[in-house]
Every structure is written in C-alpha cells, then in structure tokens.
Amino acid sequence: MKPPPFDYAAATSVDHAVSLLNGGRDARVIAGGQSLMPLLNLRLAGPELVVDIGRIPDLGTVTIDPTDGALVIGANVTQAEVAAHPDVAAGWPVLVDAIRLIGHAQIRNRGTICGSLAHNDPLAELPAVAVAFNADVAVISPAGQRTVAATDLFAGPFMTTLAGGDLIVAVRFPAPRAGSTGAIREFATRTGDYATAGVVCRLDLADGAVSGARVVVFGLGSGPIRMNGVEAALVGATAPTIDDGVLAASIAALEPPDDVHASAATRTELAAVLITEAVAEAWERGQ
Amino acid sequence: MTDHRSPARPPASPPLSEPTARHTISLTVNGAAVTAEVESRLLLTDFLRHRLRLTGTHVGCEQGACGACTIQLDGRAVRSCLMLAAQADGREIRTIEGLAAPDGELSPVQQAFADQHGLQCGFCTPGFVMSLHALLDRGGTITDDDVEECVDSSYCRCTGYVNIRRAARHATGLISHHGADDSGAGHG
C-alpha cells in the first residue's frame, strides 16, 4: 500500500527537530526509515508529522570517547557504517555480529542503530545487544539532555519509556572490559528474515571463571528479556555449562509468541538450544 | 468478540498541509539533474516510476522484503520503497535504466543475466542487477558469501535461483565466461 497523508519536515539541527517533535502534533522521527516506512506503507502508523533527522550533520559520527573509551554512535549512523568501522569490530565484535543478522545489505545501508532501539521490535537484535552490553542512549527533550540506560529503555513490543517529544541523539556502548566476551545466536527460517528466537550473551571472565554474566533473549516475548536465573547460575562457573534445571525454569517463565512462523513450544525449545550455544561460544571466544 | 470501538477523536489541529504540501527536491538520477516538487508521502519508487517514467524499478512488497525496487543511492544498494522522495533531496540515484551504454550495449551484469538465462518473467531482475552493481562498485575482493548475500536479498518466484546465481558469479568474476560452473547445485 501507500502511506496515509502526513506532513514532512526536514530538521536542520537537533534543536529544530526537538521543537518540531514538541509542536503539539502527533509526530514521528525518521532517520533511515527502515522500520517506520514499512509501518507507514502498511498503514500501521499514521502520524500527522514526520520529522526527518537525516540531514542533521551532528548526528552522523562514530566516535570513541577519549575519557572512558566508550563507543558513541550518532542517530544518523547506519548499521552498515558501524559494521564496517574498524574500531567497532575490534572492541565490540558482538555488535558487528548482530548487525550482520539484520535484514540484508540494502536495509543495513539505510537502517540506523538508534532507530532500531527507538523502534524496539520484539524480534530485533540490537535492543538485546544494548541490554547485554550496558549501553545507554542520550535523549534530548525540551527539558534538556538526559541519559537513559538500555535496561530502563524498553517498555514492551514497539514501545520505549521515552515520551513522544524525546529524541535519541546517540547510543553509547561502554569500553570493553578486560576479560569481557560475548556472542549472539539466532534462528531464522531464511537468511535475512526476522529471528524466530535469539539470544545475546555477555560473560566477564576472570581467573578461569565467570565473574559476571548477562543473558538476554529476543523474539520470545515483549522485547529483550534478561534470563536472570541463568545469569546467576553462570557466575562462578568454571565451564560454559548451565544447570538443566535452571535453564528449564528460566525458559518456562517466558511467554513466547505462538503464531504461523513457529509455535510457542518450538520457540521455547529454540531458546534453550540458542542460550546453550551462545554461552559456549562466548566462553570459547574468551579463552 | 473484539471491541472495535474507538474513543471520540477531535480533528487534527492544525489540519495537515498534505496532500497539497509540496517539497522541492533536487537530485541526480542516472547522471541527469532533476528538480521536482513532491508530496510528503510520495515514495521514492513512485517518484522514479510515475514522475520520471523510469519504470524499470519495480514495486513488489512495499515493505523492504522482496528487493524488486532496489536502486543505488550514492553508490549503495537501497530499497526505494522504504524511502520518501523528499529524503532523496541532494542525493545521487542510479536505476536499472542507467546501466547500459548510450548505444544500448548492456552492462556486464546485464549481459551475464542474458547469457546465463538469469531471468524468466523479469519482474525481480532489476533488483538483482542493481544489488550486484553496488557490490561491484564497492570494490575490493568479492567472495562467495558476498554473492550469496546479494542473491539472497531479492525474491524470485520463477527460476529457483540457479541461473541467477550463475549469472551473478559470472558478473562478479567468480567464474570465468568459459570456466566450469559447479555452483548450480545446493542452494535453491
């Protein structure tokens, strides 16, 4: 189909964008548009105003913060640009692996990291990566700038805790810690399709044991979901194995979708396999 | 039973300027400068097809999945159904019509599709060809995986992809024109 009527404004600065978003109209942000355009074409979204931030020059950079080594990705940086960035591949390899699982090259050439986070598709990889690696987003509103941790950002399918007038201007991934490793695993029926189920795992390794763990599933409910039981059981482990009972209990708490693509039972079974594989892969990478 | 009732809703205030709003865009399409006034909601695909009469860019799913609308934007392959025409202001676009030489000589990718019978109905073909051109324009070494990803990224409902893969491998130099091709089996 074609999009319903809406007004369009190309913001020339962050202030201009925030002003447009807070002008009393039902407004949506467009950057790469790889999430919003399908919604508009399918008429699942019908904003009064689309605010294009794609021409704001300040939002197009990837930088390493000189004070703490964090990776800072502006809201207009495409997934393809991040995946091809040598500093990102060196310090945040799981982010690169996750990007490669998103759609196809044509999508990644337009889609942005921040846009994926703002959209929070429950099947999406990047929200889970952001939670697993303690990312946070810089948000600008008429009240000023604030930081929202990824763990506080996602509120349910296609929803965040941000207000309609908030603009994400950058996402920040902390510098990789010594001994920190990770992996992403997902199952999709075809290359480039949405994940049927997936998991992102981060392990902090010290002296041959796990000192910290973050295991976040996606495609299995309302968005990125931490497997708290699995995380707790991994701390102190000296091998990448998860107690069967702990894994079963964590998986049983999920309420995965049950639809034409896969039954809830299939997704649950996939989750157990993918979690086991991701933990093993993260451990292997850390050796 | 699902409740389809909605709360009372006031009129949009101020009323939308659409569909009479116009944005002036200036861009380059297949090397030519183009300036036009477009509606806010006009898709880039429809701008190319309906306003510029470049109907080689095809409209399939309009949700970014099928690949038939793939064009090059500043040298990179993108889905033109997932862009507003207004977003193309100042950009450089190449479509399937921009590939052949002025005398009609096909580009090497187009020629490979003809030689290897890489199409049947032809609906999906512009998407495959534009994606492969972007891969060639990227430069550097092209791997089997690059070509697989390219072939994966469009839907063909006629051919079973065997000859498309063969054409893609010829066009990218992974197999020579007269060389043996053992790539046809397997992936479908």
Side-chain angles (χ1 to χ4, degrees), chain B residues 56-87:
Chain B
T57 299
H58 291 167
V59 182
C61 68
E62 291 189 324
Q63 46 187 294
C66 79
C69 70
T70 301
I71 59 160
Q72 277 179 271
L73 174 75
D74 295 334
R76 311 196 79 162
V78 304
R79 307 290 204 219
S80 62
C81 76
L82 296 189
M83 260 188 89
L84 299 170
Q87 289 180 289

Side-chain angles (χ1 to χ4, degrees), chain B:
Chain B
M1 204 173 154
T2 312
D3 186 349
H4 291 295
R5 291 173 301 176
S6 305
R9 187 163 53 167
S13 178
L16 298 189
S17 302
E18 273 292 301
T20 53
R22 291 289 186 271
H23 306 276
T24 302
I25 59 171
S26 295
L27 61 163
T28 306
V29 180
N30 297 334
V34 172
T35 296
E37 289 194 322
V38 297
E39 293 169 66
S40 301
R41 62 167 163 163
L42 184 67
L43 301 179
L44 180 57
T45 330
D46 294 330
F47 176 70
L48 295 170
R49 290 176 55 83
H50 302 160
R51 302 285 299 279
L52 302 185
R53 291 291 175 103
L54 296 173
T55 52
T57 299
H58 291 167
V59 182
C61 68
E62 291 189 324
Q63 46 187 294
C66 79
C69 70
T70 301
I71 59 160
Q72 277 179 271
L73 174 75
D74 295 334
R76 311 196 79 162
V78 304
R79 307 290 204 219
S80 62
C81 76
L82 296 189
M83 260 188 89
L84 299 170
Q87 289 180 289
D89 185 29
R91 312 295 289 265
E92 184 168 340
I93 282 167
R94 184 150 77 146
T95 70
I96 189 81
E97 291 91 344
L99 300 183
D103 66 359
E105 185 184 351
L106 297 178
S107 79
V109 177
Q110 290 173 306
Q111 191 62 52
F113 272 70
D115 293 343
Q116 303 300 323
H117 196 71
L119 61 148
Q120 285 183 27
C121 85
F123 183 84
C124 64
T125 313
F128 283 104
V129 171
M130 295 312 294
S131 295
L132 281 161
H133 266 276
L135 180 59
L136 287 167
D137 289 353
R138 185 195 72 183
T141 308
I142 294 175
T143 65
D144 285 332
D145 285 348
D146 291 332
V147 171
E148 284 303 302
E149 157 121 37
C150 231
V151 173
D152 267 344
S153 68
S154 285
Y155 288 172
C156 172
R157 301 290 81 154
C158 299
T159 66
Y161 295 88
V162 172
N163 288 358
I164 292 174
R165 291 175 77 236
R166 187 176 292 132
R169 292 173 64 81
H170 273 276
T172 52
L174 287 177
I175 45 177
S176 68
H177 200 66
H178 302 291
D181 178 15
D182 57 358
S183 71
H187 299 68

